[in-house]
Amino acid sequence: MNRRLVIALAAASALVAPAAMAAPVVGQPAPTFSAVDANGKTRSLDEFKGKTVVLEWTNSGCPYVRKHYDSGNMQGLQGQATKDGMVWLTVISSAPGMQGYVAGADAKAWKAKEKAAHTGLLLDPKGVVGRAYEAKTTPHMYVIDKTGKLVYMGGIDDKASSDPASLKGATNYVAAALADVKAGRAVAQAATRPYGCSVKYGSAG
């Protein structure tokens, strides 16, 4: 094969590959998405331009999630963020038949039962949003600033335990990141290791 043609094909391949394998990167624009919420309304990241957005992956059957909801810790974070004018989107990427999967009516019932204070509950049964963000655990947390840039991703705190007692003395990374964003500072700890149950994705395709 002609050497110039080989080089051209390699260059074209290099241009295509990053788009196909795009991953969330702190300091770069957050992946755009749209998903239907528990009320059947399509919501998108673009809808919240100019606002700080928090993404929270959840699974009602996960003991790590239960630690944060049964204690009221997650609802407290949600309430403070929305009070500060931020947007909090809780995402369920569990596939049908998998732990944590809910359809619209059940999703609304779960929100009411938990007294969740988020802005919206997004249903992602095909895992499109979850895979775009490479969400690995429940919870897995992301913060997007007003410019649309990803400024935090990782765990909710530094205690990788499902024991509610571990909340005492824990460093809450999300609260710290939101405080930095609110104050106009760079997020001090922008990436941490997430912990929890694996996101219950279905087969890709």
Side-chain angles (χ1 to χ4, degrees):
M1 186 181 289
N2 183 285
R3 185 170 180 273
R4 288 183 180 177
L5 180 59
V6 171
I7 293 172
L9 288 172
S13 177
L15 289 172
V16 172
M21 300 172 65
V25 177
V26 168
Q28 296 298 314
T32 59
F33 64 83
S34 63
V36 175
D37 69 13
N39 296 312
K41 180 181 179 181
T42 299
R43 314 302 295 263
S44 70
L45 184 60
D46 289 343
E47 176 185 347
F48 303 109
K49 279 182 178 176
K51 292 190 174 184
T52 299
V53 178
V54 181
L55 301 180
E56 167 216 347
W57 262 263
T58 196
N59 168 354
S60 62
C62 172
Y64 295 91
V65 169
R66 292 257 49 89
K67 174 180 81 168
H68 292 286
Y69 274 93
D70 290 348
S71 64
N73 184 54
M74 190 68 79
Q75 298 93 320
L77 285 171
Q78 295 167 346
Q80 185 59 55
T82 54
K83 182 181 176 182
D84 288 339
M86 300 175 181
V87 171
W88 189 295
L89 301 175
T90 300
V91 187
I92 299 176
S93 292
S94 296
M98 304 290 278
Q99 184 191 62
Y101 170 77
V102 288
D106 290 336
K108 287 194 284 187
W110 176 77
K111 175 177 179 174
K113 173 178 173 288
E114 299 295 346
K115 296 182 173 61
H118 49 230
T119 308
L121 178 60
L122 305 185
L123 308 181
D124 180 41
K126 292 185 178 179
V128 175
V129 182
R131 290 188 174 99
Y133 277 80
E134 297 187 348
K136 295 178 174 61
T137 64
T138 51
H140 198 156
M141 311 294 299
Y142 300 80
V143 178
I144 301 162
D145 73 8
K146 293 179 179 181
T147 70
K149 193 181 300 180
L150 185 64
V151 294
Y152 175 78
M153 62 179 181
I156 187 170
D157 61 29
D158 63 344
K159 302 293 185 183
S161 168
S162 61
D163 184 355
S166 67
L167 289 168
K168 186 176 181 180
T171 296
N172 193 298
Y173 295 131
V174 176
L178 294 181
D180 284 341
V181 170
K182 184 179 178 181
R185 301 186 295 259
V187 174
Q189 196 149 11
T192 65
R193 179 176 294 182
Y195 71 86
C197 304
S198 62
V199 178
K200 309 305 182 189
Y201 293 118
S203 300

